[in-house]
Amino acid sequence: MKIPLAKPQILESDIDAVVAVLRTPNLALGPKLTEFEDAVASYVGSPFAVAVNSGTSALHLAVRCLDLKEGDEVIVPSFAFPAVANVLLQERLTPVFVDIDATTLNITAAAIEQAIGPKTRAAIVVHTFGHPAEMDAICEVTRRHKLALIEDACEALGAEVRGRRVGAFGDAGLFAFYPNKQITLGEGGVLVTSDPAMARRAKVLRSQAKDDSLDWARQHVEVGYSYRIADINCALGTAQLGRLEEILQAREQLARTYDARLRDCAGIVRPPIDCAYGRISWFAYVIQLAPKSGRADRDRVWQCLLDRGIGAGRYFASLHGQPVLNGKYRQSGSLAITESVAARALALPFFVGMTEAEVDEVCDTLVEFLGP
Ligand SMILES: *Cc1c(COP(=O)(O)O)cnc(C)c1O
């Protein structure tokens, strides 16, 4: 790809931070793990952080820590990353799919409230593409109905709702650090929570569920995992987190450049550039083709961009359409917005260091295919 879809920013100081760890004997469960966890907890404004090897692992531990029973229902948006459905199926829970708001692409308090049934125990909010969901309204509904609440903030590190950072609203919040995210650890994820018991249990679960506070011969009281993350990854994370504000500002500026360049293109729906109740943390710049177009039009433009060496992504496909569900889900109301957006969404190249000339090339190519 001449212009990639995403690209991490790796500075010499990042490389030095990683190499320094390699010169120590502490490659796993060492001081860099704790340092990264403390830095994330303090940044997000959540008392506890538990770092693991992926965002999906963090989501899995969060769901496990809710202690739900087989067949219990969890409300989720259908327009989401596949991990959201996978972890529920792994835990033998039943996803209840709801539609999204057409502007923010997020689950809403009203959709959650309408979807609640006798077996509903929890909801997962996804802050889609870094646009924060309306957490005050959502928390009011989940509190009133005594539902547990998990925030999948994997795309939204640094996003805010009325001055509070996302991830700290729910019973658990999670972030992911694959190289296409705002900051990367190579691979990695973190669970944040204000519940000391959940933080303690997540730490036990991430390393075989070996509970050192128990008698040596009987330390495994539940099924655990190997979800640890290496200290070299954590050192990279702490270095990147230290300049997150700079990164977020550069990404916002890039979004504004795209917004100005595509303003007059009638065939394109641009993402909202501001959020009335908070701050967007720009994960991706995702346009939609005009409402009258369909999947074939989007796929044609997507292929044309790829043919020109321009990275583009089709996310997300709806979750409720995935064969793996095999009927093991419930749907609440119409999922028409999800289906329409899934068919028309197109992620454009978006990374720190992208030049105005590169933005011009992407936009000129789009206008060439779609008309002015
Ligand atoms: C990236 C992401 C995850 C987790 O990703 P991993 O690849 O497991 O680190 C989870 N949810 C959403 C919405 C994501 O974008």
Side-chain angles (χ1 to χ4, degrees):
M1 283 294 140
K2 196 169 47 168
I3 308 178
L5 176 58
K7 185 166 78 176
Q9 184 201 47
I10 302 293
L11 304 183
E12 281 305 318
S13 48
D14 295 331
I15 295 170
D16 292 344
V18 171
V19 170
V21 178
L22 290 170
R23 298 191 195 284
T24 76
N26 305 311
L27 297 191
L29 299 178
K32 291 296 164 185
L33 170 66
T34 321
E35 187 181 63
F36 178 64
E37 290 175 335
D38 291 348
V40 169
S42 128
Y43 178 79
V44 175
S46 196
F48 305 101
V50 181
V52 289
N53 57 356
S54 77
T56 303
S57 299
L59 178 58
H60 187 195
L61 294 186
V63 169
R64 168 62 79 81
C65 286
L66 298 183
D67 277 327
L68 304 179
K69 294 191 312 295
E70 179 164 353
D72 282 351
E73 290 181 350
V74 180
I75 297 168
V76 295
S78 178
F79 188 74
F81 190 73
V84 171
N86 282 339
V87 298
L88 298 181
L89 298 177
Q90 282 162 2
E91 291 295 315
R92 299 178 193 276
L93 302 170
T94 303
V96 178
F97 292 114
V98 303
D99 214 352
I100 48 169
D101 177 78
T103 306
T104 66
L105 309 184
N106 286 326
I107 194 170
T108 63
I112 291 173
E113 186 148 34
Q114 267 169 30
I116 296 171
K119 292 175 139 184
T120 309
R121 298 289 175 266
I124 300 177
V125 167
V126 181
H127 301 287
T128 311
F129 306 143
H131 192 296
E134 228 299 12
M135 292 314 294
D136 292 318
I138 288 171
C139 289
E140 191 279 316
V141 166
T142 54
R143 212 174 291 129
R144 185 151 44 81
H145 292 275
K146 301 190 166 47
L147 301 184
L149 178 61
I150 293 174
E151 288 180 83
D152 180 339
C154 287
E155 302 182 355
L157 183 65
E160 294 172 13
V161 174
R162 297 182 185 89
R164 271 177 76 192
R165 296 214 163 106
V166 302
F169 288 84
D171 296 289
L174 17 125
F175 299 93
F177 305 105
Y178 190 74
N180 67 340
K181 311 282 176 174
Q182 285 89 332
I183 64 168
T184 188
L185 277 64
E187 292 276 10
V190 69
L191 178 156
V192 297
T193 180
S194 56
D195 175 359
M198 187 191 286
R200 191 180 170 281
R201 186 161 169 211
K203 281 187 184 176
V204 169
L205 284 170
R206 83 174 158 192
S207 197
Q208 308 299 344
K210 179 173 178 292
D211 187 342
D212 290 326
S213 71
L214 301 178
D215 175 72
W216 170 82
R218 295 174 180 280
Q219 289 182 326
H220 300 274
V221 295
E222 62 177 320
V223 177
Y225 304 93
S226 188
Y227 282 172
R228 295 178 309 275
I229 182 154
D231 276 45
I232 47 178
N233 302 89
C234 294
L236 178 58
T238 304
Q240 299 236 326
L241 191 59
R243 60 174 190 280
L244 179 59
E245 183 54 33
E246 244 172 85
I247 290 172
L248 294 184
Q249 284 180 20
R251 293 176 84 92
E252 180 179 339
Q253 188 49 51
L254 186 57
R256 291 191 184 281
T257 307
Y258 264 125
D259 187 68
R261 278 293 274 100
L262 295 173
R263 189 161 293 157
D264 299 324
C265 189
I268 286 175
V269 179
R270 288 165 289 123
I273 196 79
D274 291 298
C275 171
Y277 52 80
R279 179 185 192 185
I280 302 170
S281 165
W282 286 88
F283 162 62
Y285 190 81
V286 182
I287 60 165
Q288 294 166 40
L289 298 207
K292 64 180 187 314
S293 48
R295 174 164 170 204
D297 304 298
R298 190 275 312 273
D299 287 359
R300 185 181 54 83
V301 178
W302 171 72
Q303 190 60 56
C304 290
L305 290 171
L306 296 185
D307 290 345
R308 294 281 185 91
I310 296 173
R314 298 177 292 175
Y315 28 80
F316 302 112
S318 70
L319 291 182
H320 69 275
Q322 301 306 320
V324 66
L325 288 160
N326 195 21
K328 289 186 290 249
Y329 67 96
R330 180 160 74 78
Q331 171 180 333
S332 167
S334 152
L335 300 175
I337 300 171
T338 294
E339 286 182 358
S340 168
V341 174
R344 296 181 296 110
L346 189 63
L348 303 180
F350 195 75
F351 50 90
V352 174
M354 190 175 176
T355 64
E356 289 214 12
E358 287 173 323
V359 176
D360 280 342
E361 185 172 341
V362 174
C363 296
D364 290 345
T365 310
L366 279 173
V367 169
E368 184 187 326
F369 294 135
L370 287 169

